[in-house]
Each structure stands twice: as structure tokens, then as C-alpha cells.
Amino acid sequence: MAKKLNPEWKIPEHVAIIMDGNGRWAKRRGLPRNMGHRQGGKTVELICEEAYKLGIKYITLYAFSTENWSRPEDEVTALMNLLRNYMKDCVKQAEKNKMRVKVIGDISRLDADLQESIRVLEKESEKNTGLRFQIALNYGGRDEILRAVKRLCKDVKEEKISEDDITAEVISSYLDTEGIPDPDLMIRTSGEQRISNFLLWQFAYTEFYFPDVLWPDFSKDDLIDAIEYYNTRERRYGGVTNV
Ligand code: FPP
């Protein structure tokens, strides 16, 4: 029987996902790794649709990290082609679901046509009021912080902001995720328990969930399990409760 949300559960507003296990999914079937990524792309579409229906407002997916360039060249090319096709198809999907898409990460290293597709997708979906979908592409948490610090230093030097006015909120506003609340829940599939340079600043008070399922197999029921797990957690933000 399909799982259902308990109406008493709190729904995490922002869910971040490390989509791990594509390679293992393919290997278990005797397929090339790229087939795992392709199937993983289908899961992305499914989860974006289901997440919004469940009441999640923001999804951030780790699609390609600053470290992923060190993978074999043919795998990097296949991933870039998959993302290239996805950005184009996603314009229609975003229109249908009213989804607003934003890419985070340093896109300047990507091929010019991919950068252009990203700009088109972001512009076309800008006014949509449904799911806010962030795709992390050539993204690294340290790289994001480094770029933010450099921009902040420049603004201090140019007297656009004074050093005394720098707060944690100001730093957040210099990050790629500006204007997006920090994730409430992070899911990493495939059983690995690392954050691999994802959203280092934003994960300060995020709950972590590590299901064994491989990303291409991740389903709506798995997402409901994650929400159930989230509801077993007591979020204290460094304080105490019930003492
Ligand atoms: C990790 O699995 C997965 C990636 C590095 C790529 C994730 C990308 C996609 C799912 C492509 C589609 C994305 C979008 C936004 C359309 P792995 O290859 O490290 O798996 P393994 O640990 O089993 O080898």
C-alpha cells in the first residue's frame, strides 16, 4: 500500500539532497555508469513533482560538484550532456509545475551554450510561484564561501558596506543561496554519511537523513520516510527544551 503523510507531521520547508548511488545502480545491472546518471535524472523529475505535492517549498539538489571534474572525461561529458538536455526540457516542466528554477555554483566554467540554457531556464521560470528548485552545478561549499568573501571584501574596500555592519545575515546574503531559507532536512542516498562540500554554511542546524536506497530508486515513499524521520527529530538550534 502506498505510504501517506500523517496530517500531524511538520513538513520541512527546504529539503537538500545529495543524489548518491547512480554508479552502483548501473553496476548492479551490468550497465555503464552513465545509464545510472540518466535514470537519476528521471528521479529528479519525479521528486520535484512529488515534493511540491507533499508541501515542500524548496528543493536543492547536488548535481555536479567542483570536485566532480576529476571523474573520467567520458563521464564528465555524459553528465554535462545530461544537464544540457535537462535545462532545455525543464523549461516545459517548470511551466507545467509552476516551478521556479535557479542554478547555484560557479557556472562560468561551464560551456557557453549550457550557461545560456541556464539563463533561459532561470528567466523563463522567474515568475513561477510553485516549488523553488535549486540545482547545484559546479558547486562547492568552500568555493561558494570563498567567492562570497572576495565580493564582500571588495564591497568593504569600495565602502558599500562597513566592516562593523557585517553579520551572519549579511554573509548569507552574499552566498549563491541568497534569499532562500537554510535547509531543514538533508537527505544523502546510498548509505554514505558525508556532506562532501555541500552547503557548508547553510547546514548549520539542518537535520541529516541517510537512507540506504540508491538515488535512481528513490521514490515518493522514500521521501515520505524522510519526512517521518524528520518528525522524530527535536530541533533545538543550540538551546535546550523541557528542562
Ligand atoms: C553521484 O552518484 C551522482 C552524481 C555525481 C551526479 C548526480 C547527477 C544526476 C542525478 C544527473 C541529473 C541531475 C539533474 C539535476 C537533472 P555516483 O556516480 O557517485 O554513484 P556511486 O557512488 O554509486 O558511484
Side-chain angles (χ1 to χ4, degrees):
M1 214 173 70
K3 285 190 186 236
K4 283 218 170 85
L5 280 185
N6 179 331
E8 284 172 13
W9 286 346
K10 260 196 306 206
I11 305 297
E13 189 177 36
H14 182 177
V15 177
I17 306 182
I18 301 182
M19 310 179 283
D20 202 2
N22 294 345
R24 276 162 285 170
W25 183 92
K27 195 170 174 210
R28 282 180 198 174
R29 286 163 177 76
L31 297 168
R33 292 177 58 79
N34 298 338
M35 295 303 285
H37 295 313
R38 196 186 292 180
Q39 193 63 32
K42 292 188 181 151
T43 308
V44 169
E45 288 181 30
L46 172 93
I47 291 305
C48 284
E49 220 170 296
E50 295 301 338
Y52 195 62
K53 287 190 206 151
L54 293 171
I56 294 165
K57 303 261 188 309
Y58 303 85
I59 286 268
T60 303
L61 299 184
Y62 207 3
F64 194 90
S65 75
T66 44
E67 289 71 36
N68 284 152
W69 296 106
S70 64
R71 292 194 173 209
E73 201 183 323
D74 63 334
E75 184 172 346
V76 171
T77 306
L79 268 169
M80 288 298 149
N81 285 336
L82 188 63
L83 288 161
R84 191 172 260 119
N85 291 334
Y86 181 80
M87 297 302 162
K88 290 193 184 119
D89 293 350
C90 193
V91 175
K92 278 176 251 132
Q93 203 202 339
E95 197 181 297
K96 192 176 115 213
N97 296 351
K98 301 276 168 278
M99 180 166 85
R100 179 168 170 190
V101 189
K102 187 181 168 206
V103 171
I104 60 168
D106 179 7
I107 66 164
S108 67
R109 191 173 164 188
L110 307 176
D111 287 349
D113 70 302
L114 182 51
Q115 291 187 40
E116 181 54 21
S117 300
I118 291 169
R119 273 190 286 271
V120 170
L121 175 58
E122 289 182 336
K123 185 97 195 82
E124 293 280 316
S125 67
E126 191 176 54
K127 297 215 163 53
N128 290 346
T129 53
L131 181 78
R132 298 280 301 265
F133 177 29
Q134 301 190 99
I135 307 172
L137 189 41
N138 191 28
Y139 176 88
R142 288 185 174 179
D143 180 66
E144 179 191 36
I145 293 169
L146 183 67
R147 285 184 285 109
V149 168
K150 284 189 177 170
R151 209 149 52 83
L152 188 50
C153 287
K154 190 165 171 277
D155 285 354
V156 169
K157 211 154 119 196
E158 291 173 4
E159 296 181 359
K160 289 185 184 148
I161 182 167
S162 116
E163 189 186 326
D164 294 339
D165 292 334
I166 300 172
T167 59
E169 287 72 29
V170 168
I171 293 179
S172 292
S173 76
Y174 275 76
L175 297 175
D176 298 346
T177 49
E178 180 207 354
I180 307 281
D182 290 342
D184 302 293
L185 174 67
M186 189 281 281
I187 303 170
R188 182 177 188 144
T189 56
S190 91
E192 302 291 341
Q193 304 197 359
R194 288 186 296 279
I195 56 171
S196 301
N197 203 12
F198 194 31
L199 301 173
L200 297 180
W201 173 274
Q202 297 87 338
F203 278 161
Y205 291 104
T206 302
E207 298 293 340
F208 290 173
Y209 180 62
F210 300 105
D212 280 332
V213 58
L214 304 177
W215 176 251
D217 290 328
F218 193 81
S219 65
K220 178 185 173 188
D221 283 359
D222 294 311
L223 188 56
I224 294 177
D225 281 345
I227 297 173
E228 184 173 15
Y229 170 81
Y230 175 73
N231 276 267
T232 66
R233 308 299 304 160
E234 185 194 351
R235 303 187 77 191
R236 294 200 297 265
Y237 301 97
V240 287
T241 46
N242 302 326
V243 282

